């Protein structure tokens, strides 16, 4: 159920809205992929994970696995859950490296206590504010989600949930249920003065309270295009400084293939053509 980077229109339950056609359209749209990757990178950054070991993360509303791709690139493991069979089918076709579970987050997180080192969610939690069935109570579904998520996370870990609230009342409802379930933390807003670049991240702490990170662009009054350009350039420099391989490069592909081999998956043999760009067909 991972989103496109735009505010989703409510057209019924997400498992119906994200049918096979929508799932493929979202996953094949280069702009969607880019925005999803940026939001996933920001969410993982806000988790504050240790750099000396791989972690196991939960991706709620994982969709076709676009967020999971970034988690894998960072050397972490992940399990994704989503309510849309069509989205998960696309994830399987894409051969994502995480494990996948068909489940409704409003029914709770079905994993054992303390299993995950962190949780991210991109453009999914706001769906719980909709009563798509007569039996659905948004406050109860939100509390069920947050209380079971709290249990599934290790003490001292974080959950970072990017969402698109329709209004302040919806935002207050989501935050109140999270705090009622035992979380501490609050909302991190990136680029609050920008219409297009503004993003909400609910940053939640399990156990001991941490210091809430500052939102990006909160100390700058430039135009929104300047904000977005600055965000993109800074983050690419940061990744290069960490020594990460450029995405889609030969080194990046070889690293991904090696990770898949370590996981016991079948991978094509490396050749001199691995990672070579193909000429366009006319």
């Amino acid at each position: 159920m991972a989103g496109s980077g735009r505010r989703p229109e409510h057209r019924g339950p997400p498992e119906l809205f994200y049918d096979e056609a929508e799932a493929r359209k979202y996953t094949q749209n280069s702009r969607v992929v880019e925005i999803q990757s940026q939001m996933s990178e920001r969410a993982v950054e806000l988790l504050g994970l240790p750099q000396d070991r791989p972690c196991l993360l939960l991706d709620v509303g994982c969709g076709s696995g676009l967020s999971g791709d970034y988690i894998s690139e960072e050397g972490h493991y992940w399990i994704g859950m989503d309510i849309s069979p069509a989205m998960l089918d696309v994830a399987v076709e894409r051969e994502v490296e995480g494990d996948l579970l068909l489940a409704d987050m409003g029914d709770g997180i079905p994993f054992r206590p303390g299993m995950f080192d962190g949780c991210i969610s991109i453009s999914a939690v706001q769906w719980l504010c909709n009563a798509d069935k007569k039996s659905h109570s948004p406050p109860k579904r939100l509390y069920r989600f947050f209380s079971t998520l709290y249990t599934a996370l290790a003490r001292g870990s974080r959950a970072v949930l990017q969402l698109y609230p329709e209004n302040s009342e919806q935002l207050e409802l989501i935050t109140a249920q999270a705090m009622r379930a035992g979380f501490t933390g609050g909302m991190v807003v990136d680029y609050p003065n920008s219409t297009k670049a503004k993003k909400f991240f609910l940053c939640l702490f399990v156990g001991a309270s941490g210091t809430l990170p500052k939102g990006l662009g909160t100390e700058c009054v430039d135009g929104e295009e300047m904000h977005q350009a600055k965000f993109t350039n800074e983050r690419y420099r940061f990744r290069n400084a960490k020594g990460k391989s450029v995405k889609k490069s030969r080194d990046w592909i070889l690293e991904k293939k090696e990770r898949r081999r370590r996981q016991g998956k079948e991978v094509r043999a490396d050749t001199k053509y691995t990672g070579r760009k193909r000429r366009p067909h006319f």
Side-chain angles (χ1 to χ4, degrees):
M1 210 159 49
S4 62
R6 59 178 173 82
R7 185 186 302 276
E9 298 176 8
H10 180 47
R11 302 178 187 172
E15 66 269 30
L16 299 181
F17 176 72
Y18 291 104
D19 58 15
E20 184 176 348
E22 280 288 328
R24 295 187 185 282
K25 182 176 71 174
Y26 274 54
T27 308
Q28 294 170 359
N29 186 309
S30 59
R31 178 177 174 274
V32 168
V33 174
E34 180 182 359
I35 294 175
Q36 186 81 10
S37 179
Q38 288 179 357
M39 292 194 296
S40 302
E41 184 174 356
R42 177 61 170 152
V44 172
E45 176 186 314
L46 290 171
L47 284 179
L49 299 172
Q51 297 183 354
D52 58 345
R53 64 178 177 87
C55 296
L56 176 62
L57 304 181
L58 174 64
D59 185 357
V60 176
C62 64
S64 58
L66 297 178
S67 302
D69 286 345
Y70 178 75
I71 295 174
S72 296
E73 289 171 25
E74 290 295 291
H76 300 299
Y77 302 98
W78 60 280
I79 297 175
M81 57 181 290
D82 201 283
I83 196 174
S84 169
M87 279 289 199
L88 294 178
D89 285 344
V90 174
V92 171
E93 291 177 10
R94 295 179 60 245
E95 297 184 339
V96 297
E97 297 180 28
D99 292 321
L100 304 171
L101 174 68
L102 178 64
D104 179 357
M105 59 181 168
D107 292 337
I109 304 300
F111 295 101
R112 62 180 173 80
M115 179 170 173
F116 296 99
D117 300 305
C119 169
I120 70 166
S121 179
I122 307 298
S123 312
V125 175
Q126 72 274 349
W127 287 94
L128 291 177
C129 295
N130 302 323
D132 294 315
K133 299 179 181 178
K134 288 185 178 180
S135 60
H136 282 182
S137 165
K140 290 182 179 179
R141 282 168 58 78
L142 281 163
Y143 178 72
R144 177 67 177 166
F145 165 67
F146 283 118
S147 60
T148 52
L149 175 61
Y150 187 93
T151 301
L153 290 170
R155 299 302 81 130
S157 63
R158 299 181 185 181
V160 177
L161 316 174
Q162 184 274 328
L163 49 90
Y164 289 104
E166 291 185 359
N167 48 53
S168 58
E169 289 78 12
Q170 196 175 88
L171 196 61
E172 185 175 340
L173 172 63
I174 293 172
T175 305
Q177 296 305 315
M179 301 305 160
R180 182 184 166 213
F183 285 105
T184 56
M187 193 67 64
V188 175
V189 184
D190 285 352
Y191 307 107
N193 300 318
S194 170
T195 303
K196 293 182 179 180
K198 186 176 183 179
K199 293 291 184 296
F200 291 88
F201 293 88
L202 184 57
C203 189
L204 303 173
F205 304 107
V206 181
S209 299
T211 303
L212 198 65
K214 290 185 178 180
L216 299 176
T218 55
E219 299 176 356
C220 186
V221 294
D222 294 336
E224 62 187 48
E225 293 184 1
M226 290 293 290
H227 278 319
Q228 191 61 35
K230 183 178 180 182
F231 169 72
T232 303
N233 290 339
E234 282 185 352
R235 299 196 65 73
Y236 275 117
R237 285 202 302 271
F238 178 68
R239 290 190 63 186
N240 290 340
K242 287 168 61 179
K244 297 294 173 72
S245 300
V246 178
K247 192 169 185 178
K248 303 299 183 184
S249 66
R250 177 180 170 82
D251 289 340
W252 180 86
I253 293 172
L254 291 174
E255 289 170 6
K256 184 172 182 179
K257 290 175 73 174
E258 182 58 31
R259 284 200 306 272
R260 294 179 69 84
R261 289 191 186 100
R262 290 198 298 266
Q263 294 173 358
K265 298 181 180 180
E266 289 189 17
V267 180
R268 290 184 180 179
D270 299 334
T271 70
K272 64 178 181 179
Y273 300 106
T274 301
R276 181 178 295 184
K277 291 185 178 180
R278 298 181 180 181
R279 293 181 179 180
H281 295 286
F282 293 98

